[in-house]
């Protein structure tokens, strides 16, 4: 038998005929459906957010007091309300107090929420379910109702906290008023706001931690990294976008805290817990100067938009770096 070896010939490629007609592919026109689906949401935002902001800006340029409230004919004063706000000696102290208050609340919420999220990732399914149900129960409680419960807990005569501290022998806390001292009033409000905000942050961060591959931690443990090093090298970089997002939301929420402060202290003692929101309310409704209150509110909106824009830019850059 003889073996026949086939010879492979290289077939030269034939260049396309330039005279042949070519089919030109045209890009598909972008569909208008996504934009049409956004229209209802934009209309709702324009109605719920846009109109009140525009109306607030108009009132801030008017001398809107009790007389204008009854007659419906306010006097236009231009930028006089903003000039008065700028020259007000209480502006700097109130602004600093608000920034410190919001910053401490956001920092405490993120730290405690991150600790609870790590706890949920470390425990078993049953304990994780119990912690989740506890967080959701605290989160679902109405804001005003939880503030009134907190007020009862720290009530001087019949408060549970005073009774418990006295019973365990820490000190004599009978008839002790937590809201007469600025530091103690701030601490009680801080505890309340953080208690209400931790569930959202903890559940969000736990969802992010659960998406980090376990192999990363196993490899770090094999290299001798301790828990703090694994947190710094693995957890924080992977959770950076989520941390920035919940940080933005926490700053916005904490900057606008009103119910808790007003129901517990009313901005007191003195003005120790008076933030921008409380100050605007006091000027508008206690002093009956709605134009000045609107000017304070517009100034706080602009400040918050500036801060939020900075964090949004960082959030976008963190997302691009991943």
């Amino acid at each position: 038998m003889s073996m026949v070896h086939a010879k492979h010939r290289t077939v030269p490629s034939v260049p396309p005929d330039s005279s042949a007609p070519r089919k030109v592919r045209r890009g598909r026109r972008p569909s208008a459906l996504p934009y049409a689906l956004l229209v209802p949401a934009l209309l709702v935002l324009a109605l719920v957010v846009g109109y009140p902001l525009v109306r607030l800006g108009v009132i801030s340029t008017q001398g809107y007091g009790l007389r204008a409230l009854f007659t419906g004919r306010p006097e236009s004063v231009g930028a006089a309300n903003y000039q008065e706000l700028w020259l007000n000696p209480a502006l700097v102290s109130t602004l600093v107090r608000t920034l410190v208050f919001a910053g401490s609340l956001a920092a405490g919420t993120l730290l405690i929420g991150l600790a609870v999220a790590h706890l949920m990732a470390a425990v078993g399914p049953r304990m994780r379910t119990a912690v989740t149900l506890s967080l959701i129960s605290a989160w679902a409680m109405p804001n005003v109702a939880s503030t009134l419960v907190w007020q009862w807990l720290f009530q001087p005569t019949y408060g549970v906290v005073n009774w418990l501290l006295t019973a365990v022998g820490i000190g004599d806390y009978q008839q002790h008023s937590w809201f007469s001292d600025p530091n103690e009033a701030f601490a009680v409000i801080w505890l309340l706001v953080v208690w209400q905000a931790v569930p959202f942050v903890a559940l969000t961060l736990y969802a992010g931690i659960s998406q980090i591959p376990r192999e990363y931690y196993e490899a770090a443990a094999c290299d001798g990294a301790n828990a703090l090093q694994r947190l710094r090298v693995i957890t924080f970089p992977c959770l950076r976008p989520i941390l920035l997002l919940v940080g933005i939301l926490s700053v916005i929420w904490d900057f606008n805290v009103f119910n808790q402060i007003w129901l517990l202290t009313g901005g007191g003692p003195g003005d120790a817990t008076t933030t921008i929101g409380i100050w605007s309310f006091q000027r508008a409704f206690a002093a009956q100067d709605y134009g000045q209150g609107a000017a304070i509110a517009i100034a706080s909106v602009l400040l918050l938009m500036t801060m939020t824009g900075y964090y949004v830019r960082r959030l976008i850059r963190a997302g691009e770096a991943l």
Side-chain angles (χ1 to χ4, degrees):
M1 295 179 60
S2 61
M3 300 181 62
V4 179
H5 297 276
K7 295 182 180 180
H8 299 279
R9 296 179 180 180
T10 304
V11 180
S13 59
V14 180
D17 188 5
S18 58
S19 62
R22 296 181 180 179
K23 294 182 179 180
V24 180
R25 294 183 179 180
R26 297 180 179 179
R28 297 180 60 183
R29 295 181 179 179
S31 175
L33 180 60
Y35 301 98
L37 294 176
L38 288 175
V39 170
L42 293 176
L43 291 176
V44 172
L45 286 176
L47 181 64
V48 176
V49 179
Y51 174 76
L53 280 177
V54 172
R55 184 60 180 161
L56 192 66
V58 172
I59 294 176
S60 67
T61 61
Q62 296 174 340
Y64 212 110
L66 277 178
R67 182 177 179 181
L69 184 65
F70 285 106
T71 61
R73 294 190 297 271
E75 177 186 0
S76 179
V77 296
N81 287 324
Y82 293 96
Q83 293 176 356
E84 182 181 352
L85 172 63
W86 181 258
L87 298 176
N88 196 319
L91 174 63
V92 176
S93 59
T94 304
L95 183 59
V96 171
R97 188 182 304 114
T98 303
L99 293 176
V100 172
F101 184 71
S104 62
L105 286 174
T109 302
L110 290 177
L111 289 176
I112 298 176
L114 183 61
V116 175
H118 271 285
L119 174 65
M120 295 176 64
V123 299
R126 293 184 179 180
M127 183 60 68
R128 187 182 304 118
T129 302
V131 174
T132 303
L133 292 176
S134 301
L135 292 173
I136 294 176
S137 300
W139 192 20
M141 193 170 183
N143 187 281
V144 175
S146 59
T147 303
L148 293 177
V149 171
W150 213 262
Q151 188 180 45
W152 173 74
L153 289 174
F154 289 90
Q155 206 272 340
T157 306
Y158 306 103
V160 176
V161 174
N162 287 357
W163 170 82
L164 183 61
L165 293 176
T166 304
V168 299
I170 295 180
D172 185 9
Y173 282 86
Q174 295 180 357
Q175 305 296 327
H176 178 75
S177 177
W178 293 89
F179 305 114
S180 60
D181 180 77
N183 295 327
E184 293 181 354
F186 179 85
V188 172
I189 297 173
W190 188 91
L191 289 173
L192 172 59
V193 177
V194 170
W195 173 76
Q196 293 173 334
V198 159
F200 170 78
V201 174
L203 293 174
T204 304
L205 292 180
Y206 168 70
I209 291 175
S210 63
Q211 300 302 314
I212 301 175
R214 296 295 96 187
E215 292 81 2
Y216 293 175
Y217 294 100
E218 294 174 359
C222 292
D223 291 339
N226 55 32
L228 185 60
Q229 291 173 334
R230 293 195 297 268
L231 182 68
R232 180 175 57 87
V233 176
I234 300 175
T235 306
F236 281 159
C238 292
L239 291 182
R240 185 180 303 168
I242 303 178
L243 285 171
L244 286 174
L245 178 61
V246 295
I248 294 170
L249 296 176
S250 297
V251 169
I252 294 174
W253 293 335
D254 297 334
F255 196 89
N256 294 318
V257 168
F258 178 82
N259 291 336
Q260 297 90 329
I261 301 175
W262 186 254
L263 292 176
L264 289 178
T265 64
D271 58 352
T273 58
T274 299
T275 58
I276 289 287
I278 299 295
W279 190 33
S280 175
F281 183 84
Q282 290 174 343
R283 294 294 302 171
F285 295 98
Q288 304 297 332
D289 191 351
Y290 301 101
Q292 183 66 206
I296 297 174
I298 289 294
S300 65
V301 169
L302 295 176
L303 177 61
L304 196 57
M305 288 178 61
T306 303
M307 296 169 56
T308 304
Y310 170 75
Y311 281 106
V312 167
R313 283 204 313 269
R314 291 192 59 184
L315 178 61
I316 294 174
R317 291 176 181 176
E320 293 175 349
L322 294 179

